[in-house]
Amino acid sequence: MATDLASPPVRAAKAPRREPGRAARALWRYRWLYLMLIPGLAYFLVFKYVPMRGLQIAFQDFVPFLGYNGSEWVGFKHFVDLFTGPDFNRLMYNTLFLALLNIVFVFPAPIIVALMLNELRINIVKRSVQSLIYIPHFLSWTIVASLTYILFSVDYGVLAGWVHEFLGGTKVDYVAQPEWFRPIIILQTLWKTTGWTTIIYLAALAGVNQDLYEAARMDGAGRLRQLWHVTLPAIRPTIVVMAILMSGNLLDMSFEQIWLMTNNLNRSTADVFDTFVYYVGINQGAFSYATAVGLFKGVAGVLLIFGSNWLAKRLGQNGLF
Amino acid sequence: MSAPRNRRLITGVLTLTTALLASACSGTGGGTSGQADDGTITFMTQLFGTAPNPQGELHQAVEKFLGKKIRVTWVPNADYQEKVNVTLASDNIPDVMVVDPKAPAFGKAAAAGAFWDLTEKIKNYPNLVGDPKILLNSSINGKVYGPYRVRPQLRSAVMIRKDWLEKVGLEAPKTTDDLYEIAKAFTEKDPDGNGKKDTYGLIIPKWPGVSFAASSPFNAIDVWFGAPNNWGKRDGKMVPEFDTPEFFEANRFMKKMIDEGLVNPDWNTLDTAKWNDPFVQGKGGIIIDVDVRTTQLLDLLKEQDPKTYGDKVLTVGNLARPDGKKFSLPFSGYKDILAVSKQRVRTEAQLDELLKTLDKMASKEGQILLTNGIEGRNFKVENGQAVLINQDDPKVKQLQDDVDKAFIQLGTQASTGTTGIAYERVPPEEPYRKDLAERKERVAEDLKTAVWDPSLPVISETAVAKGATLNPIVTDARVKYLAGQITEEQLKAEIKRWYDGGGTQIAQEINDLVSKLGQ
């Protein structure tokens, strides 16, 4: 995904007409810009493209001691194993389900919060709320997971205790029930990421031409009408870009978060591709199989990003590329 | 700006970028060659504290004793298996690596020839062979890849709040029924005397990992009820622990305890690292685990109340099942082996040289150095036992820490929890001494009823290949059954799913391998 972000400047080099003299002159004229591009390119080359060499082990029975050249080639064996194995459907279902919940709940949350903050009149309230809600962004998932356990443990959880007192009934072990796994993950994600993402939308909102609001008011538009006809259209490009970027990440669940919240009871709903790759690759040492799973996920991610970009353009929006 | 200056600048920047590129690329590969030839032996092992200083007293003493320079990569214990797998995938494998021989990644590397097969050679080094049975247990289908690190052969025990037991007026348990009675009394009879029903009997932490045989309290109870220890012979064929009527018997027993609230409610999520907390804080009263946990409990209770801590823990051995028949859960007798990598030890001559050094390290004198320390500095010998001395001196304290938290991990014939050929340590205070004495008797008694796992030396290929898929099936299903999420019928269906998914093949392979080894 990040590589796609980098592509526009590269394309810019091709933009002038294909006359050798002109291209060279353009290159010379913008030499400092190109020079500044080098570290970025080097970064992608070294950390994103060179490691792709390792992807070949997805098609081998890789044994580190034998190396890339010594390991046996097995073609698509690992992919066949993955697609026909008993884990695939469960992993796909769990991953897509969480992705769907992310789209429905996590994606709109910062937009709504940003719009609400934007309507606030008193600046000091607006700023302090803004600061308060993005603090969780700076906490690691380990801390978020520990907090969740402390708050929701069936034995000593404070929040779980309150819920139990108010609603009565039997005590629910939130952190160990498969049906509670997804709500907890989504709540954690909302709590941790909403405030931070809000910043992007607030920046977009700050750029909205104030004259438009005045004009709308002159025409008799109330607050909701202004929101609908001025604010939202103004930040629509931002929303679209964020949506496309998110689609590329759909299959990337936040590994740490899920790993930390998994236990024997909720594994049936908790296992996603990322945790599976970790378990198979690092714990079990099946490097080839894990790479095959990871490669599949990567390809699916690329397809999703192209797909949603195409869709955005079809719907008359500016795509990402 | 003049043109030449610009050009120079650009050249400079370009060179810099290229250099960065080059160094980043070689970062994955370089850095190993050129170290082998100075005679330094490299090790990798676990660490339980801070890494010892190579200039420290003990490190220097070990080097002097061996007559070799050594360099140890100390890895915090919690991350060890991951670090091993990552190291195996690198070209920076140390000469001697402490590894779990049964870990799939090691098995694959060994099969590919990354480590020396020492099955024949090790017989020439008396200090390295140890107990032939344990050596076989630590092998891969009979192939020995290194000397094992000795551990007690029997460590399972039950730790009970002694003061609570007296309060509810019950005796030390002998059978699982007694255990149930005690857990019930601990839950219902207000053993802490605060007038509230806020205690429970048994403390169980969340299942460690996904493998079925995890030496967890559940595994111990399985064996007590007569199920095999991981694998066992039934009607002349090897069957897994969970495919026996006794397994279901044991599970019904545990489910009853859980259903009646005699177990901590968070038994699914309680972190293993916090296992002691409910016991020490007076929330729960029974732990089923390795017997050395008694020492930890005594330590913690001593912090609370240095006067009465000795009267708060009662440790008993394995329990008999309701009909009085007793089966005890033994351990493999080893923890990890010292495998020799072929990456840098390339020739037989180099190997012999290294094994000679390891043999010296495994001698009585070497093991005392690694697991006791330096005589006259941090301990003295009284009646053949080691007594700690000079512990107030910060330098000696450092030496003691280097022994206890680091170098003891390199011990093979003496180690944590096992005196082996080194000196037995005299515990500092009476309750600890009493525990040690009782432990010896208990272990001797329980070893008579130990249920050995005949499958220990063998590894089934299918289990390795399909482990990621198969391992969690029965483990998760049992926990779900105990939590009341699935019925016994569904648990049986999951076991069938394990068989259908490759378990049948695993059983066949284990059968063949075990009979080939003549066990």
Side-chain angles (χ1 to χ4, degrees), chain A residues 32 38 46 63-65 86-87 149 154-156 175 177-178 262-265 267-268 278-280 282-287, chain B residues 6 14 17 21 24 82 85 88-89 104-105 108 112-114 200 207 210 265-266 268-269 468-469 475-476 479-480 485:
Chain A
W32 298 115
I38 290 177
V46 173
V63 178
F65 179 70
D87 299 301
Y149 278 114
V154 68
D155 194 18
Y156 50 82
V175 282
Q177 299 300 320
T262 306
N263 52 52
N264 297 83
L265 282 179
R267 198 191 317 278
S268 51
Y278 171 80
Y279 174 61
V280 172
I282 305 293
N283 267 356
Q284 299 281 108
F287 303 112
Chain B
N6 284 344
L14 280 177
T17 342
L21 264 171
E82 279 167 32
N85 286 349
L88 286 175
K108 277 181 207 166
Y200 41 77
W207 191 283
V210 291
D266 58 347
N268 266 303
T269 46
T469 304
T475 313
D476 286 357
V479 174
K480 280 183 182 168
Q485 287 183 3

Side-chain angles (χ1 to χ4, degrees), chain B residues 264-423:
Chain B
N264 51 317
D266 58 347
W267 59 274
N268 266 303
T269 46
L270 179 70
D271 198 273
T272 340
K274 292 184 184 151
W275 201 348
N276 293 330
D277 294 0
F279 192 94
V280 176
Q281 291 160 2
K283 290 169 107 181
I286 309 168
I287 290 180
I288 301 173
D289 192 31
V290 290
D291 49 16
V292 285
R293 187 170 288 278
T294 307
T295 315
Q296 292 178 24
L297 292 171
L298 285 173
D299 286 344
L300 291 166
L301 289 164
K302 190 173 153 189
E303 274 172 33
Q304 251 180 16
D305 185 354
K307 280 190 195 121
T308 61
Y309 73 98
D311 303 324
K312 285 186 181 158
V313 196
L314 173 73
T315 312
V316 297
N318 290 272
L319 301 176
R321 65 182 184 193
D323 67 1
K325 262 189 129 177
K326 188 170 164 183
F327 302 92
S328 301
L329 172 70
F331 282 65
S332 55
Y334 77 96
K335 168 91 169 74
D336 299 345
I337 60 169
L338 270 59
V340 182
S341 148
K342 275 192 189 166
Q343 214 169 62
R344 285 180 28 191
V345 184
R346 288 176 201 274
T347 62
E348 297 258 339
Q350 283 174 329
L351 178 65
D352 291 336
E353 179 74 23
L354 179 72
L355 287 177
K356 235 180 264 169
T357 312
L358 287 183
D359 192 60
K360 192 168 184 195
M361 198 167 92
S363 66
K364 187 174 163 91
E365 210 181 326
Q367 297 294 301
I368 289 170
L369 188 60
L370 293 174
T371 64
N372 289 120
I374 302 169
E375 191 174 343
R377 278 290 284 163
N378 71 321
F379 76 96
K380 61 177 181 189
V381 181
E382 260 175 29
N383 307 326
Q385 289 179 311
V387 181
L388 299 187
I389 52 168
N390 302 331
Q391 298 289 317
D392 299 330
D393 181 343
K395 275 190 183 154
V396 174
K397 188 74 197 125
Q398 183 61 54
L399 169 65
Q400 187 69 44
D401 276 350
D402 285 356
V403 172
D404 292 344
K405 296 184 172 150
F407 277 93
I408 198 166
Q409 295 300 324
L410 290 174
T412 46
Q413 287 309 308
S415 201
T416 36
T418 330
T419 305
I421 55 174
Y423 294 118

Side-chain angles (χ1 to χ4, degrees), chain A residues 49-313:
Chain A
Y49 285 94
V50 173
M52 278 195 204
R53 177 172 168 247
L55 287 177
Q56 61 179 292
I57 71 172
F59 306 96
Q60 293 180 328
D61 232 341
F62 181 67
V63 178
F65 179 70
L66 301 174
Y68 293 137
N69 299 326
S71 297
E72 192 191 340
W73 290 91
V74 295
F76 285 91
K77 174 174 168 279
H78 299 298
F79 293 91
V80 173
D81 281 353
L82 171 66
F83 296 135
T84 56
D87 299 301
F88 184 72
N89 288 338
R90 185 172 52 100
L91 292 172
M92 197 71 190
Y93 179 82
N94 286 343
T95 308
L96 288 181
F97 201 139
L98 271 180
L100 186 77
L101 291 176
N102 267 329
I103 295 173
V104 175
F105 293 102
V106 178
F107 182 67
I111 304 175
I112 295 166
V113 173
L115 290 175
M116 287 185 347
L117 282 175
N118 195 43
E119 295 298 317
L120 282 177
R121 289 232 174 268
I122 310 164
N123 241 330
I124 187 146
V125 177
K126 185 172 161 182
R127 281 215 207 100
S128 26
V129 170
Q130 206 182 323
S131 310
L132 279 176
I133 59 172
Y134 76 63
I135 289 175
H137 170 81
F138 298 103
L139 302 179
S140 77
W141 279 120
T142 318
I143 294 174
V144 177
S146 310
L147 280 174
T148 312
Y149 278 114
I150 290 171
L151 292 175
F152 290 99
S153 157
V154 68
D155 194 18
Y156 50 82
V158 183
L159 267 182
W162 286 348
V163 173
H164 177 64
E165 248 170 59
F166 278 115
L167 299 180
T170 49
K171 276 197 163 186
V172 183
D173 192 356
Y174 297 99
V175 282
Q177 299 300 320
E179 57 266 35
W180 277 100
F181 178 76
R182 292 187 186 113
I184 285 184
I185 290 291
I186 295 299
L187 283 175
Q188 283 180 336
T189 314
L190 279 177
W191 184 74
K192 184 166 147 73
T193 64
T194 305
W196 186 252
T197 324
T198 304
I199 295 177
I200 294 172
Y201 291 108
L202 282 173
L205 285 170
V208 181
N209 189 347
Q210 293 301 315
D211 296 347
L212 292 175
Y213 288 110
E214 207 183 318
R217 272 200 296 275
M218 297 287 263
D219 290 341
R223 284 201 124 180
L224 277 178
R225 288 246 148 208
Q226 289 177 33
L227 183 84
W228 187 252
H229 290 291
V230 180
T231 317
L232 273 178
I235 61 167
R236 196 163 54 193
T238 314
I239 297 178
V240 171
V241 167
M242 293 297 283
I244 297 174
L245 287 180
M246 186 184 177
S247 69
N249 278 340
L250 268 188
L251 299 181
D252 286 326
M253 294 300 137
S254 131
F255 163 75
E256 272 178 78
Q257 180 192 13
I258 291 181
W259 185 254
L260 290 166
M261 298 308 298
T262 306
N263 52 52
N264 297 83
L265 282 179
N266 64 19
R267 198 191 317 278
S268 51
T269 48
D271 247 3
V272 292
F273 283 114
D274 290 321
T275 50
F276 189 72
V277 167
Y278 171 80
Y279 174 61
V280 172
I282 305 293
N283 267 356
Q284 299 281 108
F287 303 112
S288 287
Y289 187 55
T291 309
V293 181
L295 182 59
F296 160 73
K297 212 197 75 182
V299 170
V302 170
L303 289 180
L304 274 172
I305 221 174
F306 274 97
S308 50
N309 194 55
W310 174 82
L311 195 70
K313 282 189 176 160

